[in-house]
Amino acid sequence: MSKVRIYTLAKDLGVDNSRMLAMLDDLGVQYKSVSSTLEEDIVDTIKGLVAEGGGQDTPSEASAAEPTSEAQPAPTQASAAAAAESAPVAVAERPSKPSQSSQQDDVAASKPDLPKSDLPTRAPVVTIMGHVDHGKTSLLDYIRKTKVAAKEAGGITQHVGAFEAQTSKGKIVFIDTPGHEAFTTIRARGANVADIAIIVVAADDSIMPQTREAVAHAQAAGIPLIVAINKVDLPQADIERVKTDLTQVNLVPEEYGGETVTVPVSAKTGQGVEDLLEYISLTAELEDLRADPNGEFSGVIIESKVDKQAGVLATVMVQEGTLHVGDFLVVGENYGKIKAMMGSDGERIKEAGPSTPVQVLGFSENPVSGDKVQSAGNEHQAREVIAARAQQRRDDEEQSKRRKMTLEEMMGPLSEVRTVNLILRADTQGSLEALQGILARKESDDVKLNVMLSGIGAPTEGDVLLASTAEATILCFSVVPSGGVKKAAEQKSVDLKTFRIIYELIDEVDRLIKGNVEPVFEEKYLGRAEVRMVIRHPKTGNIAGSYITDGSFKRNAKAKVTRNKQTVYEGTVLGLKRFKDDVREVQTGYECGINLDWDDVMEGDIIEASEMVEVPQ
């Protein structure tokens, strides 16, 4: 008997994937994901457990646990309870999405939050990215033609920026946007609209520059990746070469002991497309994607356009709640009332639940892709929200002019490993590899250097967009960015630096690392002084006329006063005087006046000075 994949065994035995993973955990079996393979003895053990009833689902449980991503617009309490029962036992952790704007509270009164396990599941939202001519559009077209209902006008889906595909595992929503830059533009505005990214790589071409960029953009978003190896029907296709090359972009296929799922497909013949859709559904099941269709509405603008007859048409991806015709929507500092909604199949609809893309008619101005959408109770409330946002924007602009960043804002939360994101551009592959080798040796326990993207040639505006979203620094070696790229970097406040000497680039990296390491200070002894007389001064208070017996004293140093071997004061040296002159430092063997922020100094007191110095790391 050959090896069996986990999800195939679960399907054959009628067991939910999450319960299957829980059984493997109980047995101490190690695996990467549900697509990992099991040995024959493990398979026999699992079958025995299921036969004994240890992991057997009842028919009703099996139907409830069947992975489905289709969220109903308005589920009943019974369906919500069924969805809660089907909640996976073992769920993969996922990076948290950007928090909703605090202005959402202005739009509608908040409702009590249900536990996540009690919410119904929703369809996964998928984006497809990759290098030009590797078959992204062809793959989308094949899925659209084979998995979208045939009732659409002329057999072609109306272009609303996204479409829904019906599969045996439920609904999957594909974002039909042009490439990774559009995806990152949306994310740069704080909206993580996609749940899963498909990276398309041609089997006859392997990893290319735009492939690296697509991987960097998807990894920056913190969402699961699935690699679709396209064009496997071609005679020159080399799947193993692609899998080997994936390790260059930190994607190790499962067959090589990694966690990256790779699926051979052909957008021309349809080979492997069903497997790809099944992997998407399995990933969505483990991600445990849920949303409350009865909660407060929130969504994201996918795209917008102006139609000569209809006016402004905006595509909205519903993320939470349910959208109805007649609702008032607030986007940025604009609002509109929904006059009509059209689904991805071209049909008019009255309402749309979570993970549903809809084209909305009702805005007077074009909303910007990536802007968040919230609902308002009526037009008066929408106007109030817009006025509040406009005022908040003006206040923020005024405050930003004089605001100073805190240490935590500059360096991130303390007492944790910090990451310095970098984008490298060099003139040759040899220079690039040399830089990467040097940077790999610069990492420490406190700081990790994350080279998000590296390539040959001058940086592009796409690099600037990625850097602004991921808060990265662009370092160029022996290449000069164009004027347009420099201007874009200035507009987005991105650090773009060019070097001709490699040591200067390394010094810059050292400065970045130092800025991300929590400094360690220690107290350093400076000197000791004996108070021989106290001078009364009407403005500055009492001044200790002292003699420096050891070391030296500095202005603003820490001071400790002891009297009869007891510490009576700890503070700061506010000033030092030699005769009538203010001085910065006084050495051993000299007399001086020491001004402390304390007036109870007495003759015979001993003053010790020290300072805090940073310890080299």
Side-chain angles (χ1 to χ4, degrees):
M1 180 179 177
S2 59
K3 293 183 179 181
V4 179
R5 292 192 182 273
I6 295 174
Y7 74 87
T8 303
L9 179 62
K11 185 178 181 180
D12 293 342
L13 298 179
V15 178
D16 179 68
N17 286 304
S18 299
R19 297 191 182 184
M20 177 64 72
L21 295 182
M23 295 170 65
L24 294 174
D25 290 336
D26 292 339
L27 293 173
V29 178
Q30 295 186 353
Y31 55 87
K32 295 291 184 181
S33 67
V34 290
S35 60
S36 300
T37 57
L38 299 176
E39 299 290 344
E40 183 177 352
D41 56 339
I42 300 297
V43 173
D44 292 338
T45 303
I46 293 293
K47 288 182 176 179
L49 287 174
V50 173
E52 294 172 5
Q56 182 69 44
D57 292 335
T58 63
S60 60
E61 287 174 334
S63 62
E66 183 68 23
T68 176
S69 301
E70 185 166 2
Q72 299 297 329
T76 61
Q77 292 181 352
S79 64
E85 290 179 1
S86 66
V89 177
V91 179
E93 288 292 328
R94 115 177 253 181
S96 60
K97 294 192 176 184
S99 60
Q100 295 290 340
S101 170
S102 60
Q103 296 159 345
Q104 185 173 349
D105 297 334
D106 303 330
V107 179
S110 60
K111 299 180 181 180
D113 294 330
L114 292 173
K116 183 179 179 181
S117 59
D118 292 341
L119 298 177
T121 56
R122 64 173 178 83
V125 181
V126 179
T127 183
I128 294 184
M129 303 185 289
H131 190 72
V132 64
D133 293 334
H134 276 200
K136 303 186 298 294
T137 304
S138 300
L139 183 58
L140 277 172
D141 287 343
Y142 184 88
I143 296 172
R144 184 186 283 113
K145 290 176 182 177
T146 58
K147 296 299 178 181
V148 178
K151 66 181 179 179
E152 298 159 7
I156 301 175
T157 304
Q158 300 295 318
H159 185 64
V160 297
F163 69 91
E164 302 172 358
Q166 297 295 335
T167 72
S168 60
K169 298 291 187 179
K171 184 175 74 174
I172 299 175
V173 180
F174 288 90
I175 303 176
D176 191 7
T177 53
H180 52 266
E181 289 194 14
F183 164 71
T184 304
T185 299
I186 292 175
R187 203 175 67 82
R189 293 185 173 90
N192 245 15
V193 67
D195 304 306
I196 301 170
I198 307 297
I199 307 297
V200 178
V201 184
D204 63 335
D205 212 9
S206 195
I207 304 298
M208 298 298 285
Q210 278 189 302
T211 310
R212 299 174 185 273
E213 294 180 13
V215 170
H217 284 258
Q219 289 176 334
I223 59 177
L225 295 177
I226 298 176
V227 177
I229 305 177
N230 194 23
K231 302 184 181 182
V232 295
D233 56 305
L234 298 178
Q236 65 269 33
D238 190 345
I239 298 176
E240 290 304 316
R241 176 196 169 197
V242 174
K243 291 181 180 180
T244 302
D245 291 347
L246 283 173
T247 58
Q248 299 175 8
V249 290
N250 298 322
L251 296 179
V252 182
E254 289 182 324
E255 295 85 343
Y256 297 170
E259 299 181 2
T260 301
V261 175
T262 58
V263 187
V265 299
S266 171
K268 184 177 180 180
T269 66
Q271 175 186 345
V273 174
E274 285 292 339
D275 294 335
L276 177 63
L277 296 176
E278 186 167 1
Y279 274 113
I280 293 172
S281 297
L282 289 169
T283 303
E285 181 185 342
L286 292 179
E287 290 293 299
D288 195 27
L289 305 173
R290 297 176 181 271
D292 186 3
N294 299 317
E296 184 177 346
F297 168 79
S298 65
V300 178
I301 297 291
I302 299 297
E303 66 177 15
S304 63
K305 63 180 181 179
V306 178
D307 186 89
K308 292 182 179 180
Q309 296 178 342
V312 177
L313 296 175
T315 300
V316 178
M317 178 65 72
V318 181
Q319 294 181 311
E320 293 280 349
T322 302
L323 194 60
H324 304 86
V325 173
D327 286 351
F328 282 90
L329 298 183
V330 180
V331 181
E333 296 181 15
N334 300 305
Y335 77 95
K337 181 181 181 181
I338 300 179
K339 300 175 183 177
M341 284 196 304
M342 185 169 62
S344 60
D345 57 0
E347 297 287 336
R348 291 206 171 199
I349 57 177
K350 297 291 185 182
E351 62 180 23
S355 295
T356 303
V358 289
Q359 196 171 65
V360 171
L361 174 64
F363 287 104
S364 58
E365 298 182 14
N366 251 10
V368 180
S369 296
D371 277 355
K372 295 182 180 181
V373 188
Q374 282 109 28
S375 61
N378 51 52
E379 184 174 5
H380 176 71
Q381 188 178 11
R383 290 179 180 273
E384 286 185 342
V385 173
I386 290 173
R389 289 182 176 182
Q391 183 60 46
Q392 182 66 42
R393 174 179 53 80
R394 289 191 290 268
D395 293 344
D396 291 343
E397 289 175 353
E398 182 65 27
Q399 186 177 5
S400 64
K401 295 178 182 179
R402 57 177 182 271
R403 178 174 174 268
K404 294 182 178 179
M405 294 183 70
T406 64
L407 180 64
E408 184 169 339
E409 288 172 323
M410 289 187 291
M411 297 172 48
L414 301 179
S415 68
E416 66 177 30
V417 177
R418 280 174 284 280
T419 301
V420 177
N421 291 327
L422 300 175
I423 294 176
L424 293 180
R425 288 287 181 179
D427 55 343
T428 65
Q429 185 64 34
S431 299
L432 203 58
E433 292 176 356
L435 286 172
Q436 290 174 322
I438 293 171
L439 295 180
R441 297 193 295 270
K442 290 286 183 180
E443 289 190 348
S444 65
D445 294 337
D446 298 320
V447 176
K448 177 185 177 184
L449 293 177
N450 178 29
V451 180
M452 304 186 66
L453 183 64
S454 60
I456 302 171
T460 64
E461 293 191 19
D463 296 344
V464 174
L465 180 61
L466 175 60
S468 67
T469 307
E471 297 182 356
T473 300
I474 302 176
L475 301 179
C476 306
F477 178 68
S478 294
V479 291
V480 180
S482 64
V485 171
K486 289 181 179 179
K487 186 175 181 181
E490 291 176 1
Q491 292 174 344
K492 296 183 179 295
S493 300
V494 170
D495 285 335
L496 173 60
K497 300 182 179 181
T498 303
F499 302 91
R500 293 288 182 185
I501 302 174
I502 195 168
Y503 300 108
E504 293 179 354
L505 188 148
I506 295 170
D507 289 342
E508 176 63 25
V509 173
D510 288 335
R511 284 192 289 271
L512 290 172
I513 292 175
K514 186 176 181 181
N516 280 270
V517 174
E518 183 180 355
V520 177
F521 294 94
E522 68 177 11
E523 189 172 350
K524 176 185 176 183
Y525 169 79
L526 286 178
R528 181 180 292 105
E530 178 184 341
V531 179
R532 294 187 173 180
M533 65 180 298
V534 177
I535 304 169
R536 313 289 177 180
H537 196 284
K539 293 184 179 180
T540 59
N542 293 344
I543 297 176
S546 308
Y547 178 78
I548 308 300
T549 58
D550 182 38
S552 64
F553 264 61
K554 294 181 179 180
R555 189 192 306 170
N556 297 323
K558 293 181 64 177
K560 180 174 72 173
V561 180
T562 57
R563 184 179 299 157
N564 299 325
K565 299 183 179 180
Q566 296 290 327
T567 301
V568 294
Y569 165 79
E570 290 185 4
T572 306
V573 177
L574 296 181
L576 291 173
K577 283 185 175 292
R578 283 276 297 155
F579 303 105
K580 294 183 179 181
D581 298 326
D582 290 319
V583 293
R584 293 182 178 272
E585 185 176 358
V586 181
Q587 299 291 337
T588 304
Y590 288 94
E591 294 181 343
C592 64
I594 302 175
N595 187 13
L596 305 173
D597 53 350
W598 184 60
D599 283 340
D600 295 333
V601 64
M602 298 176 60
E603 292 182 14
D605 288 346
I606 301 298
I607 304 176
E608 291 185 359
S610 62
E611 63 179 352
M612 301 301 294
V613 295
E614 184 176 350
V615 179
Q617 297 183 56

